[in-house]
Amino acid sequence: MSKLFPASTGLLSAVSLIFSPSVTPAFAAVAVAFRRPDPAGHFLSSTLPLPTDNMRRHGRACVVVLGDIGRSPRIIPSCIAHHQMYQKGIIESSEPHATVRENGSIHIHTMKQWPKLLKACQRYFTSEHNLNLANPPSAPTLVAVKWASSLRRSAFIVDWHNFGYTLLGLSLGRSSRFVTVYRWFEKHYGKMANGSLCVTRAMQHELAQNWGIRATVLYDQPPVFFHPTSLEEKHKLFCRLNENLCHPIGVRDCVSTGSMEFGDETLFTSHIGNDFLLKQNRPALIVSSTSWTPDEDFGILLEAAVMYDSRVAAILNENDSTDEGVLWKEISNGKQLLYPRLLFIITGKGPEKEKYGEKIKYLTLKRVAFRTMWLSAEDYPLLLGSADLGVCLHTSSSGLDLPMKVVDMFGCGLAVCAVSYSCIQELVKVEKNGLLFSSSSELADELLMLFRGFPDECNALKSLRNGALETSSSARWDTEWEEHAKPLISEF
């Protein structure tokens, strides 16, 4: 996703956002212009007021986003991290987090059609600035921002989040001639940059060895509003989500039977007097965020859920004739078992959501339930902070980028089980903050190991959670920026 430099006080005094909501978040791009106002005192467009003396001294930032600002996680923490910014505008994408909407220093412009980027570059980027572009997408943004930087004699910096040609290859195939041309285009214009950033050491090596590009690694970090959720926040969140939680995708399941619909009690929590409590017989809450696209095989999670259900039944010597209704009633009445019920909440939108929704509907499971949701920008961090485990199915089109969703989970102190691929261990440290799996059977084994004795006797899960909290506290966005990105920017 898009990554933007924080506006260091010595460099910037205002930030404006220009975006097109017509491009999917997976192809978000950003261009940042560090500049001073022109001699006439104007900036961007006539809708903006004249800059103050402070703005004239320090310059301002212009951000161009091809995608959904509300779901572009690197835009948000960068824009809200500093006070000397400017805002007034219209949002036509998903609503960003309140810390962006309510910030009086971010101005948001919208472009109805993303091809207007070329015109926007000519209009919005003036002299004496650096331009930063997040790649992908590569076309037309690489040529547009390079063109603008050449006209204005500014430095051109590319922030490599992934390779656009590999994303294109998911739909067209790597052998497609168009993908070959797209790779040439991406490499050709990428090499024209004055400086480069990238998201992993593996990508840094690939750029150096095969693209002739020297890049500085700038790791993603979670926004400040991704943090552990308090008991009171959990209770209020589950009250808001109660209607969704109580209604199964199919006819009924292990969490819809006996679900509470009162203001003082939810599936997970209860409110007694001034105290908020977690229920002892609550299901374990597992969250997975997905774009429902082919590069995330959701079938692995479904198969693992079925295996968990059958393996628990075998461990407890249950047979196929065991009445699930009786079991669910016993659990809702307070009975605790060695292995808990699992509730998977899957967040996100995408093309394959309906297909997998139909598959979930016809599963026959005694101890596992699924819910699919699309949450507000405020509720999503609260859900991560309320969950017991995160599952990541991201495999990376290039094998060289890292899933931002895992970064956000760590920010909330949430341990993760993630699909294993070439560079994932730059983020997920096995048996410290998470586990890796390569098959549905491995994931099922991990679920059995982590949730045995839930909620009080699952020591392995508690250890991983502590590791996730340690990971999130060791570095934040500003720290990464000061150490890695700022020195590169300062060269120009």
Side-chain angles (χ1 to χ4, degrees):
M1 287 300 204
S2 301
K3 181 186 302 178
L4 169 67
F5 303 136
S8 177
T9 304
L11 292 175
L12 303 174
S13 63
V15 170
S16 290
L17 299 178
I18 308 168
F19 76 99
S20 168
S22 62
V23 183
T24 61
F27 290 89
V30 66
V32 184
F34 299 93
R35 71 170 182 82
R36 303 184 184 93
D38 62 20
H42 297 290
F43 177 74
L44 291 183
S45 71
S46 59
T47 62
L48 294 174
L50 295 178
T52 64
D53 289 340
N54 183 61
M55 292 177 185
R56 289 189 176 93
R57 286 195 302 272
H58 298 298
R60 300 167 68 160
C62 174
V63 183
V64 179
V65 184
L66 294 188
D68 186 340
I69 286 179
R71 303 291 162 169
S72 298
R74 293 302 77 191
I75 294 292
I76 296 171
S78 304
C79 289
I80 66 176
H82 302 272
H83 300 294
Q84 296 186 15
M85 293 175 167
Y86 172 86
Q87 167 165 13
K88 181 180 179 184
I90 301 172
I91 300 171
E92 293 184 2
S93 64
S94 301
E95 272 200 331
H97 193 275
T99 47
V100 172
R101 300 197 310 270
E102 298 169 6
N103 191 312
S105 51
I106 303 172
H107 186 104
I108 301 177
H109 296 272
T110 62
M111 295 185 294
K112 298 293 184 181
Q113 299 175 354
W114 64 264
K116 292 183 179 179
L117 175 66
L118 290 170
K119 183 176 180 181
C121 286
Q122 183 179 17
R123 179 179 180 184
Y124 294 116
F125 301 152
T126 59
S127 59
E128 300 181 359
H129 58 268
N130 298 332
L131 296 182
N132 170 265
L133 171 70
N135 184 76
S138 308
T141 48
L142 275 172
V143 66
V145 179
K146 173 57 184 174
W147 173 70
S149 67
S150 298
L151 288 177
R152 305 304 180 184
R153 298 181 181 178
S154 60
F156 174 36
I157 300 171
V158 176
D159 190 357
W160 297 86
H161 297 184
N162 201 347
F163 295 119
Y165 82 93
T166 64
L167 290 169
L168 189 63
L170 291 177
S171 56
L172 300 182
R174 285 289 186 95
S175 60
S176 167
R177 186 169 299 180
F178 189 72
V179 172
T180 301
V181 172
Y182 197 98
R183 183 184 186 278
W184 175 89
F185 175 90
E186 190 171 18
K187 180 178 180 180
H188 178 74
Y189 282 96
K191 291 177 69 173
M192 293 183 180
N194 301 105
S196 295
L197 296 166
C198 63
V199 295
T200 63
R201 297 196 181 281
M203 184 175 289
Q204 181 188 47
H205 179 78
E206 170 68 15
L207 286 168
Q209 293 296 313
N210 299 319
W211 293 58
I213 295 173
R214 181 180 177 183
T216 299
V217 177
L218 179 66
Y219 282 117
D220 286 324
Q221 299 296 336
V224 293
F225 46 81
F226 281 88
H227 54 74
T229 306
S230 69
L231 277 174
E232 182 176 0
E233 289 174 323
K234 289 179 182 180
H235 182 75
K236 291 180 178 179
L237 172 68
F238 293 135
C239 284
R240 292 195 296 275
L241 300 180
N242 202 55
E243 184 176 351
N244 288 329
L245 295 176
C246 291
H247 291 84
I249 295 177
V251 178
R252 63 174 186 164
D253 57 33
C254 62
V255 301
S256 61
T257 302
S259 293
M260 297 296 177
E261 297 189 18
F262 307 107
D264 60 351
E265 191 167 358
T266 72
L267 182 63
F268 299 93
T269 60
S270 58
H271 183 197
I272 303 174
N274 294 324
D275 296 324
F276 296 91
L277 305 171
L278 288 171
K279 291 182 175 180
Q280 283 295 108
N281 68 328
R282 68 187 184 275
L285 177 56
I286 303 174
V287 175
S288 183
S289 175
T290 179
S291 56
W292 299 99
T293 51
D295 64 329
E296 296 187 345
D297 185 0
F298 191 73
I300 291 178
L301 186 57
L302 292 187
E303 291 171 5
V306 172
M307 291 178 184
Y308 173 87
D309 199 68
S310 62
R311 289 176 186 179
V312 170
I315 292 171
L316 300 180
N317 294 317
E318 294 177 356
N319 55 49
D320 294 339
S321 62
T322 301
D323 188 344
E324 64 219 26
V326 174
L327 176 64
W328 296 343
K329 186 174 181 179
E330 290 177 345
I331 293 173
S332 66
N333 289 334
K335 183 178 181 179
Q336 285 185 259
L337 299 173
L338 183 62
Y339 292 95
R341 297 167 291 168
L342 303 183
L343 174 58
F344 289 89
I345 295 183
I346 315 300
T347 69
K349 295 179 180 179
E352 297 194 338
K353 182 177 180 180
E354 290 187 9
K355 181 182 80 172
Y356 283 108
E358 285 298 309
K359 290 185 177 182
I360 293 171
K361 188 181 297 184
Y362 295 105
L363 291 177
T364 303
L365 302 170
K366 294 180 181 179
R367 288 180 171 80
V368 182
F370 287 87
R371 299 292 184 271
T372 58
M373 298 182 185
W374 175 254
L375 300 175
S376 69
E378 287 77 26
D379 281 348
Y380 178 63
L382 294 176
L383 179 65
L384 294 187
S386 303
D388 299 298
L389 181 70
V391 172
C392 176
L393 302 171
H394 176 82
T395 54
S396 176
S397 62
S398 65
L400 300 172
D401 71 325
L402 296 173
M404 187 64 216
K405 67 191 75 178
V406 172
V407 175
D408 292 338
M409 288 173 180
F410 287 161
C412 294
L414 184 61
V416 173
C417 290
V419 172
S420 180
Y421 64 93
S422 58
C423 68
I424 188 65
Q425 292 195 50
E426 291 191 38
L427 178 60
V428 179
K429 309 300 181 183
V430 177
E431 297 185 356
K432 179 180 180 182
N433 56 21
L435 298 173
L436 300 178
F437 61 89
S438 299
S439 67
S440 54
S441 182
E442 287 184 9
L443 176 57
D445 286 339
E446 291 171 0
L447 295 176
L448 286 167
M449 183 267 292
L450 293 174
F451 288 109
R452 188 179 189 279
F454 181 86
D456 296 325
E457 303 299 326
C458 45
N459 295 327
L461 180 62
K462 292 177 182 178
S463 176
L464 292 182
R465 184 175 181 86
N466 290 335
L469 286 168
E470 182 181 338
T471 299
S472 68
S473 63
S474 63
R476 283 285 177 172
W477 178 254
D478 285 351
T479 305
E480 279 291 304
W481 154 258
E482 290 290 332
E483 184 175 349
H484 301 290
K486 188 176 179 180
L488 177 66
I489 295 296
S490 299
E491 292 180 10
F492 306 106

